[in-house]
Amino acid sequence: MDKKKRVFSGIQPSGSAHIGNYIGAIRNWAAGQEGKDNIFCVVDLHAITVPQDPKELEENILETAKIIIAAGIDPEKSILFVQSDRPEHAELAWILNCHTQMGELSRMTQYKEKGEGKQSVSAGLFDYPVLMAADILLYDTDEVPVGDDQKQHVELARDIAGRINSRYGKDTLVIPKPTIKKEGARIMSLSDPKKKMAKSAKGENSYIALRDDADTIRRKIKKAVTDSGSEIVYGKDKPALANLLTIYSAFADEKIQDIVERYKGKGYAEFKQDLAEVVVQGLAPIQARLDDLDNDPGYVVKVLADGAQKAAPIASATLGRVKNKIGLG
Ligand code: TYM
């Protein structure tokens, strides 16, 4: 029998998880669980690359784990753990740092957007993609399901692994590949379709949080910017509508073409009203599971503790192998 593909992915415990995280990433983690060897991680060490309030961070770590479980990750089928519970991540990151070029990190789009040129930015923010490479490479990962914004980081992980393999032997690290769905890989802000939907965005009308109640969702979708014109069409010249149609398609599990066909001759108002209901209904089962988890916080703590234990032998085997190869055995 073929060895199961190893899947690894992560999400930061910062701000409120939104429908972009869900459509671009978590939904695909859940859908791909069967037949694969899955590991998902709440990456708290990544979150501290920008200032965090300690109490809020602690709450957000649990909240993010709840979101992942509520969105369909089954702890019986997948390992779910918190990054800082496994010290191997930081140790491998140091080794990878010594095999990464400053120039490579300077070219990372996300760093350029968030921090380039600011003296006050932490060294951790600059180095963030190397820690992410360590997360991935530590588990001999084959596939990394992410949204489009993380593609460059996964490619860097491939480059670093390739460099290490060519120096120390090709069986040192497994070369991972990003798995990015064609549709929904970049959900855009509801208030500016040129920017991606982000937890850190100013103005909470720009995103729909997975915890938003029905009225909040209706209000945000009603306020969402639209393009000039009045017909429901999909195209590059209509980025706001294309984004709303993508969200509709993801939650209704219906092809964009079919949705466009159905709304021929109908206006934005009707489309937006229906879209709001589709999102409300799509999030309802996730929110119901979140309510259950809120009432049973001990369960999530246990899942995370078990997850860190299950991750341990995999992480320590890879770290040991790498250290041996490079003469730190
Ligand atoms: P993070 O926490 O920003 O986002 C988690 C996942 O959600 C995806 N995503 C989106 N997808 C579509 N549209 C959007 N607007 C949108 N916003 C976010 C992200 O692409 C991501 O898949 N660096 C990572 C976390 C990380 C990681 C890893 C991921 C750390 N180590 C190892 C994979 C493997 C991040 O900040 O994701």
Side-chain angles (χ1 to χ4, degrees):
M1 224 176 72
D2 285 346
K3 197 173 154 275
K4 280 186 190 169
K5 291 265 186 251
R6 166 75 45 76
V7 174
F8 181 96
S9 203
I11 178 170
Q12 292 198 58
S14 49
S16 345
H18 52 71
I19 57 169
N21 299 127
Y22 178 66
I23 299 172
I26 309 173
R27 178 178 73 132
N28 305 323
W29 306 352
Q33 270 177 119
E34 299 299 334
K36 301 207 172 158
D37 199 351
N38 312 286
I39 307 181
F40 301 113
C41 187
V42 179
V43 292
D44 53 350
L45 296 175
H46 278 92
I48 62 164
T49 55
V50 295
Q52 299 287 342
D53 174 82
K55 196 166 174 309
E56 265 175 38
L57 177 60
E58 215 175 317
E59 285 165 7
N60 266 332
I61 292 169
L62 265 193
E63 167 68 6
T64 307
K66 281 188 205 166
I67 296 266
I68 295 173
I69 299 170
I73 297 303
D74 178 353
E76 300 289 320
K77 294 184 186 147
S78 301
I79 297 177
L80 174 63
F81 74 106
V82 178
Q83 186 184 32
S84 67
D85 283 344
R86 290 266 42 96
E88 294 87 351
H89 290 246
E91 191 173 349
L92 182 63
W94 180 257
I95 294 174
L96 301 185
N97 266 327
C98 299
H99 297 81
T100 306
Q101 297 158 3
M102 296 286 283
E104 287 177 310
L105 295 180
S106 312
R107 285 194 291 276
M108 293 292 118
T109 313
Q110 212 165 62
Y111 173 72
K112 286 202 220 166
E113 283 168 5
K114 279 194 185 168
E116 196 178 39
K118 293 184 203 150
Q119 288 296 319
S120 58
V121 143
S122 74
L125 191 71
F126 183 63
D127 199 35
Y128 175 114
V130 180
L131 179 60
M132 179 162 161
D135 300 338
I136 297 167
L137 300 176
L138 199 51
Y139 296 96
D140 293 337
T141 302
D142 300 299
E143 296 175 2
V144 190
V146 281
D148 191 51
D149 61 335
Q150 298 301 320
K151 186 171 178 224
Q152 196 185 30
H153 292 160
V154 183
E155 277 164 1
L156 178 73
R158 286 171 64 85
D159 291 346
I160 299 173
R163 183 172 303 140
I164 289 189
N165 283 357
S166 63
R167 205 172 292 172
Y168 306 104
K170 66 176 178 10
D171 53 351
T172 310
L173 289 167
V174 172
I175 311 267
K177 71 164 202 281
T179 45
I180 299 174
K181 286 266 182 313
K182 232 163 100 196
E183 262 168 31
R186 184 173 283 263
I187 298 296
M188 309 310 279
S189 155
L190 297 181
S191 37
D192 180 356
K194 288 190 290 298
K195 294 193 180 133
K196 76 170 183 196
M197 185 176 283
K199 309 178 240 211
S200 52
K202 282 198 197 85
E204 59 154 37
N205 284 332
S206 66
Y207 65 87
I208 294 174
L210 296 182
R211 289 255 193 194
D212 278 349
D213 61 29
D215 285 343
T216 307
I217 295 171
R218 290 185 189 116
R219 177 173 51 78
K220 287 182 179 178
I221 290 182
K222 198 168 174 194
K223 281 202 168 157
V225 299
T226 40
D227 306 289
S228 57
S230 58
E231 279 171 68
I232 309 301
V233 284
Y234 183 87
K236 277 212 173 93
D237 55 335
K238 306 272 183 209
L241 262 181
N243 190 40
L244 297 181
L245 278 162
T246 304
I247 296 171
Y248 194 125
S249 158
F251 281 107
D253 203 12
E254 199 180 349
K255 283 202 190 102
I256 289 183
Q257 261 176 330
D258 295 344
I259 302 167
V260 168
E261 192 60 35
R262 210 150 31 80
Y263 281 92
K264 259 196 184 139
K266 297 181 180 167
Y268 287 166
E270 188 174 347
F271 170 69
K272 278 179 150 188
Q273 248 173 31
D274 293 352
L275 170 62
E277 296 319 309
V278 163
V279 176
V280 167
Q281 277 171 31
L283 291 182
I286 299 176
Q287 295 182 345
R289 269 178 254 141
L290 278 171
D291 285 346
D292 292 344
L293 293 169
D294 287 344
N295 292 324
D296 190 3
Y299 170 74
V300 182
V301 171
K302 180 159 185 333
V303 165
L304 293 174
D306 288 351
Q309 264 192 6
K310 289 187 216 158
I314 313 172
S316 74
T318 309
L319 183 62
R321 190 174 70 233
V322 172
K323 285 172 82 172
N324 274 334
K325 292 267 192 183
I326 66 179
L328 299 170

